[in-house]
């Protein structure tokens, strides 16, 4: 079977899915270990039987609903290529808004020297996406990522190595429990924030992702509340706390931050125009 024929076959099989054409191209490029341009440049190249077999297996997994990122084991985030696993959430483009907003608030007068004493903590680091994106942009800042799942910590460490990022440490910790007396200039988190009984959990790719990374009590705010209530012990004076949250949680998170004494509280929208990130400073 030729490359163009393999793509046509896969698109037909994946029809009814969320993105048949994109998925077919990503899966075939991954199977052949080439970039997508190659597929258009060499449409008449014939797949060897081993590649065809692997492609057919990958397309079948996708047909059964499995997320592409779990099938190919990776996802691009920011400027990084991150290994993924079913132990953690698949990095989302919306989370890049959180990274951008934190970067915007790094003091502009920070010098190489002061940067080296500047520290950031990412709570619930999963694949390491946020911690690694920030560490890659701020090479003299130290970033600590924590996750309560040992497998996620291992994955994030691997992603740091794969991307050549050294100014980051990943710890196995249930939110703050293993942070000791550390204090940070910035705490950032994309915690679970979906309501326990939300229909969203049984849809599309999300149903393959770990519930522990998605749900947070009846109103989805249990973990955000916990983090807000403890974070001030771990923030340096004037420290920043920044969350990703659900599209309908901006006002609630802003209110929780205000009640806890945070100032300069702001909510920022994602690329889809939904409230997605709320930040506040230690008062
Ligand atoms: N943003 C994710 C989603 O919409 C949810 C991730 C989370 O709970 N942090 O699927």
């Amino acid at each position: 079977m030729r490359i163009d024929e393999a793509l046509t076959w896969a698109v037909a099989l994946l029809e009814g899915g969320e993105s048949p054409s994109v998925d077919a191209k990503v899966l075939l490029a991954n199977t052949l270990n080439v970039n997508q341009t190659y597929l258009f440049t060499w449409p008449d190249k014939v797949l060897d039987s081993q590649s065809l077999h692997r492609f057919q297996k990958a397309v079948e997994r996708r047909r059964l609903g499995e997320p592409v990122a779990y099938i190919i084991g990776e996802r691009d985030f920011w400027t990084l290529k991150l290994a993924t696993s079913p132990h953690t959430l698949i990095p989302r483009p919306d989370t890049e808004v959180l990274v951008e907003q934190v970067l915007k608030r790094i003091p502009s007068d920070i010098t190489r020297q002061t940067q080296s004493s500047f520290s950031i903590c990412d709570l619930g680091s999963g694949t390491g996406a946020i911690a690694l994106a920030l560490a890659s942009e701020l090479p003299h800042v130290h970033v600590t990522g924590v996750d309560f799942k040992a497998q996620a910590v291992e994955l994030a460490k691997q992603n740091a190595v794969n991307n050549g990022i050294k100014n980051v440490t990943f710890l196995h910790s249930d939110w703050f429990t293993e942070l000791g007396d550390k204090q940070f200039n910035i705490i950032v988190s994309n915690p679970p924030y979906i309501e326990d009984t939300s229909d969203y959990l049984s849809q599309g790719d999300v149903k393959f992702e770990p519930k522990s990374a998605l749900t947070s009590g009846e109103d989805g705010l249990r973990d955000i509340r916990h983090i807000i209530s403890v974070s001030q012990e771990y923030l340096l004076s004037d420290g920043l706390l920044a969350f990703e949250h659900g599209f309908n949680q901006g006002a609630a998170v802003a209110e929780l931050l205000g009640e806890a004494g945070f100032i300069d509280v702001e909510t920022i929208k994602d690329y889809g125009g939904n409230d997605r990130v709320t930040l506040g400073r230690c008062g």
Side-chain angles (χ1 to χ4, degrees):
M1 198 185 275
R2 295 158 39 134
I3 282 182
D4 53 357
E5 293 166 342
L7 285 174
T8 306
W9 166 80
V11 171
L13 210 80
L14 297 175
E15 204 161 295
E18 278 166 37
S19 44
S21 169
V22 174
D23 294 354
K25 284 179 245 166
V26 172
L27 293 175
L28 186 54
N30 178 263
T31 304
L32 301 177
N33 200 16
V34 297
N35 60 36
Q36 289 186 36
T37 315
Y38 180 98
L39 306 178
F40 306 112
T41 315
W42 307 104
D44 51 355
K45 262 224 154 76
V46 174
L47 272 70
D48 64 62
S49 62
Q50 229 186 2
S51 301
L52 180 60
H53 182 66
R54 276 191 289 133
F55 181 54
Q56 285 167 332
K57 272 177 53 180
V59 171
E60 181 57 11
R61 285 171 68 181
R62 182 60 185 147
R63 193 182 69 78
L64 295 173
E66 203 174 333
V68 170
Y70 288 160
I71 300 171
I72 67 172
E74 64 184 30
R75 170 59 46 100
D76 290 340
F77 180 83
W78 201 251
T79 58
L80 312 169
K81 196 170 275 309
L82 300 176
T84 55
S85 95
H87 295 296
T88 69
L89 207 67
I90 299 164
R92 316 278 208 261
D94 283 339
T95 303
E96 294 184 359
V97 175
L98 181 58
V99 174
E100 283 166 7
Q101 292 301 322
V102 169
L103 288 175
K104 262 178 78 171
R105 287 165 179 77
I106 302 289
S108 55
D109 58 351
I110 203 166
T111 62
R112 244 181 109 111
Q113 216 167 15
T114 49
Q115 263 202 37
S116 58
S117 63
F118 200 90
S119 60
I120 300 180
C121 179
D122 173 18
L123 295 172
S125 47
T127 57
I130 298 167
L132 292 169
L134 291 171
S136 72
E137 295 294 331
L138 303 165
H140 305 290
V141 167
H142 193 82
V143 184
T144 303
V146 307
D147 203 286
F148 87 115
K149 270 201 183 178
Q151 298 98 327
V153 175
E154 286 314 307
L155 184 70
K157 284 182 179 170
Q158 194 53 51
N159 278 326
V161 172
N162 294 350
N163 286 281
I165 298 172
K166 301 211 167 66
N167 52 323
V168 68
T169 308
F170 288 103
L171 298 176
H172 186 204
S173 175
D174 187 0
W175 299 131
F176 301 91
T177 54
E178 305 304 314
L179 287 174
D181 57 4
K182 288 195 182 64
Q183 286 190 310
F184 304 90
N185 297 90
I186 299 179
I187 295 178
V188 60
S189 184
N190 173 19
Y193 54 68
I194 295 174
E195 301 87 343
D196 281 346
T197 53
S198 169
D199 293 342
Y200 176 66
L201 299 166
S202 56
Q203 290 170 18
D205 287 3
V206 180
K207 64 175 178 293
F208 286 83
E209 295 181 293
K211 292 278 174 295
S212 58
L214 289 164
T215 60
S216 190
E218 230 171 278
D219 62 358
L221 291 168
R222 186 191 56 214
D223 290 291
I224 289 180
R225 250 186 230 108
H226 171 70
I227 292 170
I228 291 176
S229 71
V230 185
S231 60
Q232 283 171 85
E233 272 176 56
Y234 295 88
L235 277 170
L236 289 160
S237 64
D238 206 30
L240 181 76
L241 178 59
F243 286 109
E244 176 177 323
H245 53 68
F247 69 96
N248 54 355
Q249 293 172 332
V253 176
E255 194 177 323
L256 288 167
L257 284 168
E259 281 167 11
F262 283 82
I263 56 169
D264 299 339
V265 175
E266 270 185 276
T267 297
I268 312 287
K269 292 190 189 303
D270 61 22
Y271 306 121
N274 294 310
D275 284 353
R276 185 61 62 195
V277 167
T278 296
L279 318 90
R281 243 173 229 294
C282 249

